Amino acid sequence: MAERVRFASSRGPALAGLIDPPAEPVRGWGVFAHGFALSKDSPAASRTCKQLASEGIGMLRFDNLGLGDSEGDWGDGSFEVKVDDTVQAAEFLTARGTPPDILVGHSLGGAAVIAAANRIPSVRAVATIGAPFEPKNVERHYEAVVNRVLEEGHAEWLIGGKALILKRSLVEDFRKAELYHHVVALGLPLLVMHSPTDATVSVENASRIFRTARHPRSFIALEGSDHLLTTPGQPQRAARVISAWADPYLGDA
């Protein structure tokens, strides 16, 4: 059974997380970062982490600020906050005596784990699924209200049946965020996974990340998958690939 945990975010409010405990023998530990307005319970997060746990890799997945079961206001978040909170999650795991060996991120979470990796001493490898090369591209999701946000300071944004308050500071942070120098400076093994038919974040993003990264780097095409990994079996397939690829970098390997 997953263990429910809470830890402080980089901005103060508590974040809600789930630890999927690893099957024996324990091979290692990791942190999973979810997509832009998703949660720890999204198919990509929950099914991928459960599969990794079944293969001996314990995983912490958590809700970002103001999402899911976490406290705080989502509008106070940003790409910088997402990166900082990924570091907070890793520090929480470390304080438990299970420092993360690997970071895994889906969609915007993939960009976040690349940016966070060098701030987490225990991390030995990074894997991304459907990650964007430019975080500012999330603006196309809320472009219908962005002018109002910039003029008035905030606006309600409806996504997936949820009403979120979009703030000017969040929009401006994403506009200035960039991933290029984080990829160049990563210095860790990187696995880039992407569906060639991803209609939300095009596979060209994976190509740009891969071309920018230095070796050791690997690319796996997730044929038949959609961006959210809702196709049956796709999250588990992604997890099995990550598990096999990460084997040399886990635990005492």
Side-chain angles (χ1 to χ4, degrees):
M1 293 290 292
E3 175 188 354
R4 294 189 178 276
V5 298
R6 300 186 77 81
F7 57 93
S9 70
S10 60
R11 300 307 188 263
L15 301 180
L18 285 174
I19 294 178
D20 293 295
E24 297 288 345
V26 178
R27 297 168 57 217
W29 289 86
V31 171
F32 188 99
H34 66 67
F36 181 45
L38 300 175
S39 76
K40 68 181 184 308
D41 300 312
S42 65
S46 62
R47 297 171 190 173
T48 302
C49 287
K50 288 175 182 177
Q51 182 66 37
L52 286 168
S54 75
E55 301 198 11
I57 306 173
M59 296 296 296
L60 167 61
R61 48 189 163 106
F62 65 99
D63 292 323
N64 281 126
L65 199 68
L67 292 173
D69 300 316
S70 288
E71 298 175 359
D73 187 338
W74 178 82
D76 292 330
S78 63
F79 184 66
E80 179 184 4
V81 170
K82 190 172 183 67
V83 173
D84 289 346
D85 286 347
T86 301
V87 175
Q88 289 286 105
E91 291 177 350
F92 174 78
L93 265 190
T94 299
R96 296 175 75 254
T98 54
D101 305 285
I102 185 170
L103 300 181
V104 181
H106 168 242
S107 193
L108 186 66
V113 296
I114 289 174
N118 282 335
R119 295 168 55 188
I120 306 169
S122 63
V123 167
R124 306 180 186 187
V126 177
T128 68
I129 306 170
F133 185 72
E134 295 183 339
K136 66 182 180 182
N137 286 344
V138 299
E139 185 167 313
R140 66 189 185 86
H141 295 298
Y142 50 77
E143 61 184 355
V145 299
V146 70
N147 288 336
R148 182 180 167 195
V149 172
L150 294 175
E151 291 170 3
E152 301 180 13
H154 61 86
E156 186 177 79
W157 177 47
L158 295 175
I159 179 171
K162 297 179 292 186
L164 299 174
I165 301 299
L166 191 64
K167 296 185 178 181
R168 182 189 293 123
S169 59
L170 184 148
V171 171
E172 292 176 342
D173 177 87
F174 274 102
R175 286 186 170 185
K176 70 181 182 181
E178 66 94 10
L179 196 63
Y180 176 85
H181 76 278
H182 291 295
V183 179
V184 170
L186 183 59
L188 293 169
L190 174 65
L191 172 62
V192 180
M193 308 179 73
H194 214 110
S195 169
T197 54
D198 190 327
T200 302
V201 178
S202 76
V203 72
E204 174 59 22
N205 288 269
S207 298
R208 295 179 69 187
I209 293 172
F210 185 80
R211 289 196 303 266
T212 303
R214 299 175 180 177
H215 286 296
R217 58 184 180 172
S218 303
F219 173 78
I220 295 292
L222 296 175
E223 301 97 334
S225 177
D226 62 356
H227 180 69
L228 296 177
L229 299 188
T230 57
T231 307
Q234 285 292 354
Q236 293 85 350
R237 175 193 174 207
R240 290 192 296 270
V241 171
I242 294 169
S243 173
W245 169 82
D247 197 57
Y249 316 118
L250 297 173
D252 297 325

